[in-house]
Amino acid sequence: QVHLVESGGGSVQAGGSLRLSCVASGDTTASYSMAWFRQSPGKEREGIVAINSNGDSTLANSVKGRFTGSKDNAKNTLYLQMDSLQPDDTAMYYCALSRRALPGYERAHQDEYDYWGQGTQVTVSS
């Protein structure tokens, strides 16, 4: 069993920054993928960034140039640095973990992930 705990969400004005963290604990395997998804009311859950245990990563086109994902393997922690935030970035942000090191074309598919955190809310005001 794996437990994911997100933190770092909050309310900011447009143009501001936030850094989200997700700590994984429990029975993490040697090869895995961790990812950030987001979902706002009335919209489908969207994959933002995914990073494999070997460092291979995928970033959504919608956030390129503004968001950066990183991972500290020693701490089993996934980060999401969000800069130049816009009102459209308002959403609940979820951390997810797959027990497989997912190939690039699967990393944005929420069904490929085995564990999910409770989410952290990000609200961006104009």
Side-chain angles (χ1 to χ4, degrees):
Q1 189 71 18
V2 174
H3 190 50
L4 302 174
V5 178
E6 303 103 330
S7 62
S11 297
V12 296
Q13 290 189 330
S17 298
L18 284 173
R19 188 192 195 205
L20 306 184
S21 299
C22 171
V23 180
S25 61
D27 186 21
T28 57
T29 58
S31 295
Y32 59 88
S33 294
M34 291 184 73
W36 287 103
F37 286 76
R38 68 182 179 185
Q39 188 169 23
S40 52
K43 294 186 178 180
E44 292 188 356
R45 191 167 292 190
E46 175 190 18
I48 300 300
V49 63
I51 303 179
N52 284 357
S53 48
N54 64 1
D56 197 21
S57 65
T58 306
L59 185 66
N61 289 332
S62 60
V63 300
K64 280 184 179 178
R66 300 190 300 122
F67 290 11
T68 304
S70 62
K71 189 161 64 68
D72 186 329
N73 288 334
K75 296 181 179 180
N76 282 340
T77 301
L78 181 71
Y79 301 99
L80 182 64
Q81 177 65 42
M82 303 185 294
D83 299 317
S84 301
L85 282 161
Q86 300 300 319
D88 283 348
D89 296 317
T90 295
M92 185 70 80
Y93 284 71
Y94 296 94
C95 177
L97 184 144
S98 169
R99 288 194 172 278
R100 297 188 299 122
L102 298 172
Y105 64 91
E106 290 183 352
R107 291 173 196 160
H109 299 169
Q110 58 178 320
D111 292 342
E112 300 296 336
Y113 291 85
D114 303 296
Y115 301 98
W116 292 84
Q118 292 298 309
T120 185
Q121 177 68 37
V122 172
T123 303
V124 185
S125 58
S126 58

